[in-house]
Amino acid sequence: MLDEVRVHALIADDEPLARRGIRQLLAPHHDVDVVGEARNGRETVHLARTLRPDLLFLDVQMPELDAFGVLRALTPSPLPAVIFVTAYDHFAVRAFESHALDYLVKPIEEARFVEALQRTRDRMRSLAAVELSHRLAALLSPRERASLTRGLCPTRLVVPTSAGELVLEAEEIDWIEADDYYAAIHARGRRHLMRQSLAVLERRLDPEQFVRAHRGAIVNIERVRELRGDAGETVLLLRDGTRVPVSRRRREHVTRRIRVLGGEPFAAH
């Protein structure tokens, strides 16, 4: 079922020949439907909002609004997978900082194009698997639900960096905090930014392993050393000394999860 995922693509480029070139490259890929073409930045924003494509081929330099302006205009709504297309490679660092899925330099090499397209498919299948697990989980008992969710949740997160992409195993993650339109993932002793909302990450991550402590934080249960009351507030103390507040609304849920699923004793004051 997940192999049948189709990709709806929007092509944004002010050069007709460039748009036609991408269409020709897409022609052999019958799982990709081109849902529209945009000739400038503002048209791209309009079509992206109305057509809601899965994939956006985005020329960096366009009239009225460049690629970075387009992404700012579309934020904070969920973005499609974005593949930057440009004649200049010096935009690469800024593109990946904007969390582009890939970056193609004109004239586009077919092999690189196929590689970028495959990354889009992989991302969509991953998201589709999580969505399917949530639909099925609603029909199951709590025990069956936990087993299913554990089996389908991704075990890795891919974080874009200026040099490429960093693959983080879920078990390496200590905790995640909201940072405007980004999620700051604390892992391997560093802070990694990812353009995802905490709500989306919460749905993707294994609920047996992670718990939402409050509106702005998700915590890996195995990293919790202590749950304590501190000046009238409830706080999770992690193994590295990080203190993560627990909201009053989530305190009972967080406490129950740690006691039942943490797998080891913990101190509660």
Side-chain angles (χ1 to χ4, degrees):
M1 180 176 178
L2 297 179
D3 289 337
E4 297 174 356
V5 169
R6 297 195 65 81
V7 181
H8 299 108
L10 173 65
I11 303 171
D13 199 308
D14 61 318
E15 301 175 17
L17 286 178
R19 298 198 300 272
R20 186 188 307 169
I22 291 177
R23 274 189 178 274
Q24 290 174 343
L25 287 167
L26 286 173
H29 303 276
H30 302 299
D31 60 331
V32 182
D33 299 319
V34 177
V35 295
E37 294 186 7
R39 298 162 297 181
N40 57 59
R42 297 198 182 283
E43 195 171 77
T44 303
V45 172
H46 172 70
L47 291 179
R49 285 173 174 164
T50 55
L51 299 175
R52 304 181 70 82
D54 307 304
L55 171 62
L56 172 59
F57 290 99
L58 185 58
D59 184 24
V60 173
Q61 293 179 305
M62 288 191 294
E64 299 190 24
L65 205 59
D66 67 9
F68 305 103
V70 168
L71 296 183
R72 282 195 298 271
L74 292 175
T75 303
S77 300
L79 289 174
V82 177
I83 297 178
F84 276 63
V85 182
T86 179
Y88 308 98
D89 60 6
H90 60 268
F91 289 113
V93 171
R94 195 175 171 195
F96 283 112
E97 286 177 347
S98 300
H99 300 275
L101 183 67
D102 211 328
Y103 184 96
L104 300 175
V105 178
K106 301 175 184 176
I108 302 173
E109 296 179 5
E110 185 172 0
R112 278 287 295 120
F113 185 85
V114 171
E115 179 184 330
L117 203 54
Q118 187 57 46
R119 296 176 69 185
T120 303
R121 294 188 184 100
D122 292 343
R123 168 181 152 149
M124 289 186 61
R125 287 187 182 119
S126 175
L127 293 175
V130 173
E131 183 180 348
L132 175 63
S133 74
H134 284 287
R135 288 205 306 268
L136 292 176
L139 305 174
L140 303 176
S141 68
R143 181 177 300 238
E144 293 169 327
R145 185 181 308 144
S147 176
L148 173 69
T149 306
R150 187 166 50 249
L152 289 179
C153 285
T155 59
R156 298 187 295 178
L157 292 181
V158 179
V159 181
T161 69
S162 59
E165 292 186 328
L166 176 67
V167 179
L168 292 174
E169 300 292 338
E171 62 187 18
E172 295 181 295
I173 298 171
D174 298 323
W175 69 292
I176 307 170
E177 64 177 324
D179 186 349
D180 289 331
Y181 303 127
Y182 296 88
I185 300 173
H186 295 262
R188 301 181 187 173
R190 298 185 60 185
R191 189 172 183 269
H192 311 276
L193 284 179
M194 184 177 186
R195 189 170 181 147
Q196 289 274 355
S197 70
L198 251 59
V200 171
L201 285 177
E202 185 180 19
R203 290 195 296 271
R204 293 185 61 194
L205 293 168
D206 184 354
E208 299 298 300
Q209 187 176 6
F210 293 89
V211 65
R212 188 80 171 261
H214 64 81
R215 186 176 180 182
I218 296 172
V219 173
N220 185 342
I221 292 175
E222 294 184 354
R223 296 297 196 277
V224 176
R225 188 178 71 192
E226 188 174 337
L227 174 69
R228 63 164 58 173
D230 191 355
E233 296 183 349
T234 302
V235 174
L236 289 176
L237 184 62
L238 307 190
R239 292 177 181 174
D240 65 355
T242 300
R243 300 164 65 88
V244 181
V246 179
S247 69
R248 183 177 302 176
R249 184 168 69 88
R250 299 178 187 272
R251 186 183 189 285
E252 181 180 350
H253 174 68
V254 172
T255 302
R256 185 170 62 251
R257 290 290 314 284
I258 291 174
R259 283 178 171 157
V260 173
L261 302 171
E264 60 185 53
F266 72 99
H269 303 285

